[in-house]
Amino acid sequence: MGWEQIEISLPNCSALQVISFPVVQLHLNRTAMRASQKDFENAMNQVKLLKKDPGNEAKLKLYALYKQATEGPCNMPKPGVFDLINKAKWDAWNALGSLPKETARQNYVDLVSSLSSSLESSSQVEPGTDRKSTGYETLMVTSEDGITKIMLNRPTKKNALNVEMYHEIMHALKAASKDDSAITVLTGNGDYYSSGNDLTNFTDIPPGGVEEKAKNGAILLREFVGCFIDFPKPLIAMVNGPAVGISVTLLGLFDAVYASDRATFHTPFSHLGQSPEGCSSYTFPKIMSPAKAIEMLVFGKKLTAGEACAQGLVTEVFPDSTFQKEVWTRLKAFAKLPPNAMRISKGIIRNREKETLHAVNAEECSVLQGRWLSDECMNAVVNFLSRKSKL
Ligand SMILES: CCCCCCCCCCC/C=C/C(=O)SCCNC(=O)CCNC(=O)[C@H](O)C(C)(C)COP(=O)(O)OP(=O)(O)OC[C@H]1O[C@@H](n2cnc3c(N)ncnc32)[C@H](O)[C@@H]1OP(=O)(O)O
């Protein structure tokens, strides 16, 4: 049996997003059982024609089913913990255990068929989703009625922050600080506000190795959080759905936080082998008391919108059905207030803390740089990427 590998290149190219798809020229006899060899070959050709990225989870399943269908149970040595891509592939294949080749072949055909129809229909339902708008790849930024709205726009990834999004948010905040809007709003497109740091950020290791990656990550994070600390105008979060990780910790640097009653607030840093960022090690104990902050930041307690409001992290909660209407009405009224007065008043309230916040930010980034190199963190990332764990 001869076989070759093709790679599908994807728009936001990180290492895991370039998982090889096996393409095979098979010379097996057709069997009358379940999916025929022809069906299998057709399915493999169909994969190559998919116009949208089916996602890492689907690609890993396809890889595993293909290997099982053509080679049987996983017979390769387990890759090392830092070989993230091969380990994720090995885990997916190994998880199929002794699944018979014929069943794997049928499952492969079924999966391709469901992917073809779901990717086609989702692109009909949500045109424009994840597409470039106003010059940004990962955001939609608009400015009207005195309000600059920065909308996280990777809804199919629950608005996870990839490296490009970190850069684009910094760019958008810098532009908003200088434009003629009175207030700035951050929100999410789709059902999530944000699922936090994109865990595939950990996968494309540069030639300098994981140490260089961690160092660059800490520099990026420090600059990113610094933009929130220094933002001069009223900055408002519209938390339209669940918020995770850094999208929660940053809320302590916002001037108002309005949440849908569908929103939840989750900072599972210990679960991920990580530590708090976004100045939350300083702002959360002040906002909600040290004990409540530790419940969230150390023990990973997930808060409902109502609980987050009771603890002072959220300003007000709205029913999801009227969230957009009620909050926008309020924001439009705020935006009519004299902009200079608002900016100056925010400055008086916030400026005396700025130096402390920058020092806290630097310390948090330095601690995280070490955490990213730990086995605890690496294992958590690998487990997520190989779909062994979710929050
Ligand atoms: C050394 C590296 C340096 C890096 C650069 C520096 C960056 C600074 C870092 C700052 C520190 C930040 C810390 C954090 O934010 S910690 C929080 C991290 N987030 C998570 O752990 C969430 C992980 N996601 C989940 O558990 C679930 O996806 C979730 C519960 C959010 C939703 O579950 P649900 O079942 O509803 O949906 P799916 O899982 O099917 O998700 C749909 C697709 O979206 C992808 N996804 C979602 N969240 C993330 C994420 N955080 N990272 C990457 N991908 C994510 C998911 O994989 C699905 O994709 P596919 O359709 O392709 O499978």
Side-chain angles (χ1 to χ4, degrees):
M1 179 180 70
W3 63 282
E4 59 182 325
Q5 299 272 337
I6 59 152
E7 285 186 344
I8 292 191
S9 299
L10 302 169
N12 296 315
C13 187
S14 69
L16 239 202
Q17 286 170 319
V18 191
I19 288 172
S20 298
F21 281 83
V23 179
V24 66
Q25 300 143 4
L26 290 162
H27 308 288
L28 304 175
N29 290 331
R30 281 190 189 197
T31 72
M33 296 172 60
R34 320 194 89 206
S36 68
Q37 182 54 33
K38 187 73 191 155
D39 294 335
F40 191 44
E41 283 170 21
N42 285 344
M44 285 186 286
N45 286 328
Q46 229 177 319
V47 166
K48 287 188 277 178
L49 298 175
L50 289 177
K51 291 201 181 88
K52 276 183 80 182
D53 174 5
N56 291 332
E57 186 181 4
K59 285 186 282 188
L60 283 170
K61 274 188 198 147
L62 286 170
Y63 168 81
L65 288 169
Y66 162 76
K67 295 293 273 184
Q68 192 85 6
T70 56
E71 296 180 29
C74 180
N75 52 7
M76 308 286 288
K78 186 173 181 172
V81 70
F82 290 114
D83 189 0
L84 294 175
I85 297 172
N86 286 323
K87 179 154 186 316
K89 290 162 83 175
W90 187 92
D91 283 338
W93 183 12
N94 191 50
L96 295 181
S98 57
L99 188 76
K101 282 185 172 182
E102 295 74 19
T103 315
R105 190 164 65 176
Q106 176 68 53
N107 292 356
Y108 183 97
V109 170
D110 291 346
L111 179 56
V112 173
S113 154
S114 75
L115 283 174
S116 304
S117 48
S118 73
L119 290 176
E120 193 141 302
S121 63
S122 70
S123 68
Q124 282 160 6
V125 174
E126 288 187 78
T129 288
D130 278 351
R131 291 227 192 99
K132 188 167 178 166
S133 96
T134 63
Y136 293 98
E137 289 289 338
T138 65
L139 307 176
M140 276 198 277
V141 182
T142 51
S143 208
E144 60 181 321
D145 298 325
I147 306 172
T148 292
K149 179 174 82 168
I150 301 172
M151 183 185 262
L152 310 178
N153 191 30
R154 298 183 72 216
T156 57
K157 299 290 178 189
K158 310 291 183 192
N159 297 322
L161 280 82
N162 61 7
V163 170
E164 187 175 23
M165 197 189 270
Y166 285 108
H167 285 289
E168 290 195 345
I169 293 171
M170 288 193 280
H171 186 277
L173 284 175
K174 281 174 190 159
S177 72
K178 293 190 209 108
D179 70 15
D180 57 6
S181 63
I183 63 176
T184 300
V185 175
L186 189 75
T187 190
N189 187 16
D191 60 341
Y192 261 64
Y193 176 65
S194 169
S195 62
N197 185 41
D198 189 316
L199 295 174
T200 67
N201 286 339
F202 290 95
T203 56
D204 55 341
I205 306 297
V210 281
E211 286 81 7
E212 184 186 321
K213 178 85 192 170
K215 188 170 157 220
N216 292 340
I219 292 169
L220 173 64
L221 180 61
R222 186 170 168 183
E223 192 190 348
F224 177 73
V225 175
C227 288
F228 287 82
I229 298 171
D230 290 332
F231 194 72
K233 300 177 181 178
L235 181 62
I236 291 145
M238 268 183 80
V239 186
N240 53 297
V244 184
I246 190 165
S247 72
V248 177
T249 56
L250 283 173
L251 295 175
L253 299 173
F254 280 69
D255 302 305
V257 178
Y258 297 124
S260 150
D261 60 9
R262 233 174 27 79
T264 52
F265 299 82
H266 195 190
T267 49
F269 298 125
S270 300
H271 300 71
L272 294 167
Q274 298 186 40
S275 51
E277 78 309 89
C279 292
S280 59
S281 64
Y282 179 76
T283 57
F284 278 29
K286 282 188 86 166
I287 291 170
M288 60 183 72
S289 87
K292 293 288 184 193
I294 283 181
E295 268 197 316
M296 279 193 84
L297 299 174
V298 178
F299 302 135
K301 181 179 178 191
K302 189 197 282 188
L303 301 192
T304 62
E307 288 166 340
C309 191
Q311 292 180 18
L313 184 61
V314 164
T315 315
E316 194 169 334
V317 181
F318 297 82
D320 194 56
S321 54
T322 55
F323 175 63
Q324 297 288 340
K325 191 164 176 282
E326 287 196 66
V327 176
W328 282 111
T329 304
R330 185 174 299 196
L331 295 179
K332 282 179 189 167
F334 290 168
K336 291 201 175 87
L337 296 169
N340 290 335
M342 287 199 286
R343 182 192 281 254
I344 287 165
S345 298
K346 168 171 174 165
I348 295 179
I349 296 166
R350 296 278 187 191
N351 284 352
R352 73 178 68 88
E353 289 274 55
K354 259 193 189 178
E355 207 179 311
T356 307
L357 290 169
H358 281 296
V360 169
N361 182 26
E363 188 190 349
E364 288 177 345
C365 293
S366 156
V367 172
L368 256 179
Q369 184 177 337
R371 285 279 83 215
W372 288 329
L373 299 175
S374 69
D375 283 352
E376 289 178 343
C377 177
M378 285 293 171
N379 287 336
V381 171
V382 168
N383 282 341
F384 174 75
L385 296 178
S386 58
R387 312 313 290 184
K388 273 194 189 153
S389 73
K390 268 189 203 181
L391 297 176

